[in-house]
Amino acid sequence: MKNKVKELLMPVIVLTLIAAVMAALLGGTNLLTKGQIALLSKQAKEQAVKQVIKADKYEDAKINYNGTNYDYIVAKTADKTVGYAFTLSSNGYGGAVESVIGIDVSGEITAVEITDVSGETPGLGQNAANENFYGQFAGKKGSFEVVKSGAKENQISAVTGATITSKAVTNSVNLATELYNEITKKGE
């Protein structure tokens, strides 16, 4: 009987020890890499800001809009504001879709960079990170809507098979436009 109990308990004990060691190793790896991952993420966002609005200097700023605080970047050249960059996210099909949106002082979208679509479906929603989608916003003003085909003035053609992801990016661009309007209304 003792052998039977030992025979049943031994695999449980061994598996528990293996699981505990693996959890400790994963936790340790996370601790060691967390700072580097945060630094790389920050550098990627800074690079995206420089891609969407060209300037000599970038300053951090904040705005409260409809009860929510947003961080944004004021882009300046020769101490004159040339535009703004907004890092925003909206829920897509598989999670948050993060974008950096540049808007010049006239309210025109200078560029959009998609910085994270990792939660979206590969081959479908992740195609929102292709320039043939996000490039549709550049040079336009105002609010946008997503259509499946035949986009007109303030319409954006959805990524094939990824209307929800396309709407997520468009929602972020529309919010950036609203924030821009609020900032310029206040004269910031």
Side-chain angles (χ1 to χ4, degrees):
M1 183 69 129
K2 256 185 176 180
N3 280 342
K4 191 76 162 166
V5 172
K6 187 177 179 181
E7 195 176 295
L8 289 173
L9 283 179
M10 201 52 145
V12 172
I13 293 170
V14 169
L15 286 174
T16 302
L17 285 172
I18 290 171
V21 168
M22 294 307 292
L25 287 172
L26 285 171
T29 301
N30 183 51
L31 246 145
L32 290 172
T33 60
K34 187 166 56 171
Q36 184 66 22
I37 291 170
L39 176 64
L40 291 172
S41 177
K42 182 180 179 209
Q43 288 173 340
K45 286 178 185 173
E46 287 172 355
Q47 187 62 34
V49 166
K50 290 176 182 176
Q51 293 295 318
V52 300
I53 190 91
K54 306 289 187 227
D56 295 335
K57 178 167 74 166
Y58 300 92
E59 297 175 357
D60 294 331
K62 296 181 184 295
I63 186 171
N64 184 293
Y65 179 67
N66 291 337
T68 302
N69 292 319
Y70 295 95
D71 295 328
Y72 66 98
I73 304 291
V74 179
K76 294 185 174 190
T77 297
D79 287 327
K80 183 178 178 188
T81 299
V82 294
Y84 307 89
F86 303 91
T87 300
L88 300 168
S89 83
S90 187
N91 286 330
Y93 181 76
V97 176
E98 190 173 279
S99 310
V100 178
I101 301 102
I103 302 178
D104 69 15
V105 292
S106 74
E108 185 176 288
I109 307 293
T110 56
V112 174
E113 287 283 323
I114 310 300
T115 55
D116 187 7
V117 287
S118 60
E120 300 304 287
T121 308
L124 294 172
Q126 288 185 0
N127 288 339
N130 295 338
E131 190 174 358
N132 60 355
F133 171 69
Y134 67 77
Q136 296 178 78
F137 295 99
K140 296 181 179 180
K141 291 182 178 185
S143 184
F144 304 93
E145 71 172 319
V146 175
V147 294
K148 291 189 178 185
S149 64
K152 294 183 174 88
E153 178 85 16
N154 278 25
Q155 295 178 328
I156 301 299
S157 292
V159 172
T160 303
T163 306
I164 295 171
T165 306
S166 302
K167 286 181 180 179
V169 174
T170 303
N171 289 341
S172 291
V173 173
N174 287 339
L175 177 57
T177 301
E178 291 173 27
L179 294 172
Y180 163 82
N181 289 334
E182 189 71 16
I183 291 163
T184 56
K185 183 174 78 176
K186 290 180 176 181
E188 292 180 20

